[in-house]
Amino acid sequence: MLSLLAAVAGLALPQLALGGEYSSASSYKVQTPPLTTDWTYNVGTDPWTEYPRPQLVRDRWQSLNGIWSYKNASASDLHRVPSGDLGQAIMIPSCIESALSGVMTPLDEQGNGNVKYSWFTTTFDVPSDWKEDDVVINFGAADWEATVFVNGKEAGFHRGGWTRFSIDITKHLKKHGQNELAVFVYDPTDSDEIVISVGKQTLRPDHIFYTPCSGIWGSVFIEPVPKAHIAQLDVSGDMHGKLTIKAHSSNGKSAPVHVHVYDPSNNIVASGSGTSDEDFVVRVGNPDLWSPEHPHLYDIKVKFGDDEVKSYTGFRTIEKGEVEGVVRPLLNGEFYLAFGPLDQGYWPDGLLTPPNREAMVYDLQVLKELGFNMVRKHIKVEPDLFYRACDEMGLLVMQDMPSMRPNINKIPSESEQEEFTRQLVKLVETHKSFPSIYTWVIYNEGWGQRPNAPESKLVPIVRELDPTRLINAVTGWHDSGYGDYHDNHHYSMPQCGTPFYSIPSSPYDPKRIGFQGEFGGVSTNTSMEHIWNVPKSFANINMTYEIDETIEVWNERAHEILDALRDQIQRYSCSGGVYTQTTDVEGEMNGLITYDRRLKRYDPAQWQRDIQALYDAAASRGGARIGSSRSPITAAKQWVSSLWYINTHVLRGLGF
Ligand SMILES: *[C@@H]1O[C@H](CO)[C@@H](O)[C@H](O)[C@H]1NC(C)=O
Ligand SMILES: *[C@@H]1O[C@H](CO)[C@@H](O)[C@H](O)[C@H]1NC(C)=O
Ligand SMILES: *[C@@H]1O[C@H](CO)[C@@H](O)[C@H](O)[C@H]1NC(C)=O
């Protein structure tokens, strides 16, 4: 089914090759990473051509992805804005440490990364039919701080490595001819005594921490907009067909907003109006609900003055409620057992940036094939197209806030904590319209978690920003009773909603959802051709608590571990879990697939059976029928619609 949105994205302007003016552009060459994927040498020099912002789509846009130029810099260089070719070609989007960037900044003798400051430059022409419009530049992500200059003038600044940002550059543009773009990036990962939200990045990759990623690692594009335009669009659909919309205006002046909602066959099913910068409601009668089994999406068109954008939503309700005496997560009113892998989203060739959309979706297809209905996006934020793919394919997302560095010797200061809070707010604000995201995670295993339960303040902040989802305040370790989950981490065997537990977990709290935020993680070594070829990294493969001699034994162990979870769902109060993990990453060898995505360790039939058994156990405790067993609601709906079919077609055919 081709959605309106996909059709629009497909029709968008063909991309112009940009940056070709610099001599360094011809010198771009993908570097040889410590491990390749099937995509490494197929990316070419025109990466990520898909429309990058699926929830706020404008017909006209121009990608600035492609070959730019780069140089290493120092702090004081911020005041010397460079112009022209910086001598080294770099592919955007990608971080300078990645092979796909063409730079792959070297590590020092100790194996440490060292680039803190960088300059990036490119040029662009503004299409002639945009001359009447304002122009906005959009960055998918730049780690950690980006200062953006257009034709030598500072146009904007952004702090935070994970979320998208936009800058109105109209007043700096030349009316005719080429414009010069220069971006100064500062990334203090593990440096300058600054504690920031880094997720798994470290300058000293080892065991469960990985190569850092600095620079512009998200897609960059420009677009023409009317002076008053929609800067951000919040949409949220519930199971009763209530669609709540808020169009944030670029100028803060309230003005009318008009909305049409389209069903998957592109018929208008509802229309409504409201005022910008305020919530308003449009009602859709009897919507096809969104769930992992039936990921129905509805396209939306929004008109605000001269601005017209497309978006989409799914109608579903996520809550906490009691089923047969146990507090459960509910999807569309039913206890829904979510089961997914820990998903790091790292790539041997692109690090934080997947080599391309096909590669990114490949991981999700593996998960769907095995019957997972969820993915825990682990202390990383993905490109928007990842969440769009989860919305379309039907995978719930448990979205982690990327942790600050887990250094017990340096706890975050007050101001670092404030910055973390600001970044958490940004994460929620920029992602709260994806229907697949069902839970926000604030802290992982105490990493960067100050003493005295800072989550007591953060839970209400997230709740106010987004009352439509569950909050997992702490996944693993220091739980003080906040949020909707009691989440235990226990390797390899689960302890999920059980009357037994191990330190540092606390006893299961029946007032909240019993959840196994991490378990499994058994490893098995593989041959050198699938290993991240950094000696320090593969020397530490055996730091995980369990290495299985063969893939067969690894599958057998996984079966025992999943069966233990099934037993805890059946007998106790376990409401879901996260198996570690989708892929190997650098020094970790515990993936369903290897880091290069070329070797599948899993026995598909066994995993499908074991995962289905979890859903069946939940169904026996009053849960939804998930997976191959058809839900009674769906069956009833199909029965009704077949009656309708008989009525309208058969009876008519019989001459009634
Ligand atoms: C980058 O520049 C800094 C300061 O000039 C220097 O210390 C560092 O070694 C350089 N790094 C690389 C990879 O050239
Ligand atoms: C894992 O396999 C690689 C390649 O065969 C080998 O070099 C390495 O020593 C092995 N590591 C362990 C811990 O067995
Ligand atoms: C891991 O393997 C290396 C050799 O590959 C060995 O030197 C080291 O002692 C092992 N560590 C553990 C914890 O077994």
Side-chain angles (χ1 to χ4, degrees), residues 260-308:
H260 292 308
V261 185
Y262 298 79
D263 71 11
S265 326
N266 209 12
N267 304 310
I268 293 185
V269 290
S271 299
S273 301
T275 302
S276 62
D277 304 294
E278 284 173 23
D279 280 347
F280 65 94
V281 169
V282 177
R283 288 188 189 276
V284 172
N286 198 20
D288 279 328
L289 301 187
W290 187 95
S291 69
E293 288 68 44
H294 302 283
H296 298 293
L297 297 176
Y298 285 71
D299 289 322
I300 302 173
K301 273 192 193 168
V302 184
K303 203 164 158 26
F304 169 70
D306 295 330
D307 198 15
E308 207 172 321

Side-chain angles (χ1 to χ4, degrees), residues 321-323 326-338 513 569 573-576 614-615 617-626:
E322 231 174 80
V323 175
V326 180
V327 173
R328 300 293 196 182
L330 310 182
L331 173 65
N332 299 332
E334 281 189 291
F335 162 33
Y336 191 90
L337 187 115
I513 296 162
I569 295 166
S573 303
C574 179
S575 292
L614 307 178
Y615 303 142
S620 78
R621 301 289 305 276
R625 301 214 158 266
I626 300 174

Side-chain angles (χ1 to χ4, degrees), residues 6-194:
V8 167
L11 282 175
L13 290 181
Q15 305 310 301
L16 307 178
L18 289 151
E21 293 78 11
Y22 294 157
S23 58
S24 72
S26 53
S27 67
Y28 168 79
K29 195 168 168 299
V30 54
Q31 298 294 304
T32 305
L35 180 66
T36 62
T37 68
D38 283 348
W39 297 280
T40 309
Y41 299 109
N42 293 330
V43 170
T45 55
D46 188 15
W48 288 96
T49 52
E50 300 85 1
Y51 191 88
R53 194 184 51 198
Q55 290 186 317
L56 185 58
V57 178
R58 291 193 174 89
D59 288 350
R60 294 183 299 163
W61 66 296
Q62 181 172 285
S63 172
L64 298 191
N65 290 347
I67 309 304
W68 296 26
S69 82
Y70 160 80
K71 76 173 183 190
N72 179 20
S74 61
S76 58
D77 289 344
L78 176 58
H79 308 293
R80 290 188 288 275
V81 184
S83 164
D85 191 345
L86 303 177
Q88 183 159 18
I90 184 165
M91 187 163 72
I92 299 298
S94 61
C95 45
I96 54 178
E97 294 86 350
S98 72
L100 280 172
S101 72
V103 177
M104 203 165 84
T105 48
L107 304 180
D108 67 16
E109 281 105 68
Q110 282 78 47
N112 302 333
N114 58 6
V115 172
K116 272 196 292 192
Y117 302 95
S118 312
W119 274 114
F120 302 87
T121 62
T122 189
T123 60
F124 61 94
D125 292 328
V126 177
S128 54
D129 64 327
W130 298 12
K131 290 291 191 272
E132 302 301 310
D133 302 284
D134 281 5
V135 176
V136 167
I137 189 165
N138 305 285
F139 291 81
D143 193 12
W144 166 254
E145 287 178 2
T147 315
V148 177
F149 298 84
V150 176
N151 297 319
K153 298 282 184 318
E154 184 172 336
F157 169 83
H158 180 263
R159 176 177 294 133
W162 304 105
T163 47
R164 64 174 181 262
F165 59 97
S166 304
I167 299 169
D168 188 326
I169 55 173
T170 316
K171 66 170 184 274
H172 304 296
L173 289 175
K174 289 182 190 158
K175 286 267 179 287
H176 304 283
Q178 204 170 63
N179 292 281
E180 285 199 80
L181 177 66
V183 185
F184 184 79
V185 174
Y186 167 54
D187 186 352
T189 296
D190 286 354
S191 313
D192 298 349
E193 302 288 309
I194 297 174

